[in-house]
């Protein structure tokens, strides 16, 4: 069975996903929607389907088996709701939202609808991550240290702290999610942020540097920092175990032991593995091959929301307590 796919969003990030999806033999793109119709038309000319300006119109006209929601994440609730109402399985980019209230609303609605979902935390699908987890086995992890180095935000909306939530949500969320994938649930988050070098960001409610300390429930420690002060360099993720230091980047994994260092190149395309897994999950009605779903991604996003709250209050924040607080507020709002 070939799945009929609708694509919501035809911007820069969508082009990456479209190039992958158009190459899957068991999926056919039947429609692409974008608020800029000319952009949708250009995407259709390259990848197939029919152009639309609204996602709900695409869903009603084409009756897709699956939709891929690839728009700025402050719009996620708006574009996810039509798919949830029509009970269409969907892929959505990370994070779930720029705010906790919308993220919780999306997750709860997906649970009620019983939908299969996939979220774009593609670092989990890297071959180097599989290799690192195989090396570690059940061995305890002492500490995770990670950084994300970048220059100015790439888009106008991502410069706006109110819309993007800053680098802690836009980029560092990948590494916080990966830390959960390795070390499990988080007990507390303590964070500080500042604007010292990119002073224009302060005018938009954004920050240029973050420092985040995490304690996992199993006792593992995490130390994360990110910056807009430098230049696009990418990310590094280090795992400290007994007599082992494992380093993961977008290009390779390194394993350092007492007797030396080995490097293992990573030529995998995590976006391909991620979308292949989602298509297989839908075809077989089996979510077991999915490494990130909406339900799980909510907890990864919570680490960023907790970091923002910690930086605001100057106190450590429990992600579980923050989620419970949001759900109480939601209940009060319905009363």
């Amino acid at each position: 069975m070939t799945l009929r796919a609708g694509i919501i969003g035809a911007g820069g990030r969508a082009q990456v996903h479209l190039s992958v999806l158009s190459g899957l033999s068991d999926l056919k793109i039947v429609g692409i929607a974008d608020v800029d119709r000319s952009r949708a038309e250009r995407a259709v000319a390259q990848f197939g389907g029919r152009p639309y300006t609204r996602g709900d119109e695409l869903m009603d006209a084409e009756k897709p088996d699956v939709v891929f929601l690839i728009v700025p994440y402050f719009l996620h609730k708006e574009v996810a709701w039509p798919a949830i109402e029509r009970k269409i399985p969907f892929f959505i980019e990370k994070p779930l939202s720029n705010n906790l209230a919308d993220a919780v609303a999306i997750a709860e609605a997906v649970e009620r609808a019983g939908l299969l979902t996939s979220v774009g935390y593609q670092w989990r699908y890297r071959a180097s991550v599989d290799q690192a987890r195989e090396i570690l086995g059940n061995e305890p992890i002492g500490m995770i240290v990670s950084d994300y180095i970048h220059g100015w935000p790439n888009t106008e909306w991502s410069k706006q702290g109110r819309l993007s939530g800053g680098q802690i949500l836009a980029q560092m969320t990948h590494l916080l999610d990966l830390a959960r994938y390795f070390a499990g649930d988080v007990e507390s988050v303590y964070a500080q942020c500042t604007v010292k070098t990119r002073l224009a960001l302060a005018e938009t409610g954004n920050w240029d540097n973050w420092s985040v300390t995490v304690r996992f429930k199993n006792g593992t420690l995490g130390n994360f920092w990110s910056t807009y002060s430098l230049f696009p360099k990418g990310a590094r993720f280090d795992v400290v175990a007994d007599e082992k230091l494992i380093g993961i980047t977008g290009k390779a994994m390194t394993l350092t032991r007492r007797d030396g260092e080995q490097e293992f190149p990573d030529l995998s395309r995590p976006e391909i593995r991620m979308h292949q897994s989602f298509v297989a999950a839908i075809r077989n009605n089996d979510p077991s091959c999915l490494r990130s779903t909406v339900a799980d991604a909510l907890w990864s996003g919570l680490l960023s929301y907790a970091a923002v709250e910690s930086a605001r209050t100057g106190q450590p924040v429990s992600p579980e307590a923050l989620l419970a607080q949001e759900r109480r507020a939601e209940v009060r709002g319905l009363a």
Side-chain angles (χ1 to χ4, degrees), residues 100 104 189 297-307 318-320 322-323:
L100 179 55
V104 170
V189 177
L298 174 62
W299 288 99
S300 293
L302 267 164
L303 303 191
S304 292
Y305 306 131
S318 159
E320 287 185 354
L322 187 63
L323 179 59

Side-chain angles (χ1 to χ4, degrees), residues 151-153 158-161 195 198-209 228:
W152 277 95
S158 63
K159 295 176 185 177
Q160 307 292 322
V195 184
R198 308 292 197 187
L199 299 183
L201 287 176
E203 300 172 8
T204 70
N206 209 334
W207 313 269
D208 59 9
N209 288 278
Y228 280 143

Side-chain angles (χ1 to χ4, degrees), residues 1-4 24-28 65-66 89 116 275-290:
M1 178 184 76
T2 299
L3 296 181
R4 294 166 52 81
L24 299 183
S25 60
D26 46 3
L27 182 140
K28 178 182 179 181
D65 302 304
V66 57
L116 280 173
H275 289 318
Q276 287 175 334
S277 295
F278 189 36
V279 169
I282 296 170
R283 287 169 62 89
N284 301 318
N285 193 29
D286 178 10
S288 63
C289 60
L290 297 174

Side-chain angles (χ1 to χ4, degrees), residues 131-152:
Q131 191 173 11
R133 283 164 59 90
E134 183 178 347
I135 290 169
L136 287 167
N138 295 321
E139 186 175 338
I141 296 172
M143 182 167 60
I144 293 172
V145 181
S146 185
D147 62 72
Y148 207 120
I149 298 175
H150 212 279
W152 277 95

Side-chain angles (χ1 to χ4, degrees), residues 51-97:
Y52 295 87
T53 55
R54 293 174 57 94
D56 55 353
E57 291 176 352
L58 183 159
M59 294 177 212
D60 289 338
E62 302 293 345
K63 302 293 190 296
D65 302 304
V66 57
V67 291
F68 293 80
L69 311 177
I70 315 165
V71 300
Y73 50 83
F74 65 88
L75 297 173
H76 275 179
K77 184 180 177 184
E78 177 184 333
V79 298
W81 226 250
I84 295 169
E85 290 176 338
R86 291 161 178 77
K87 292 185 166 43
I88 303 174
F90 65 85
F91 166 87
I92 192 167
E93 259 294 358
K94 58 76 202 165
L96 289 185
S97 177

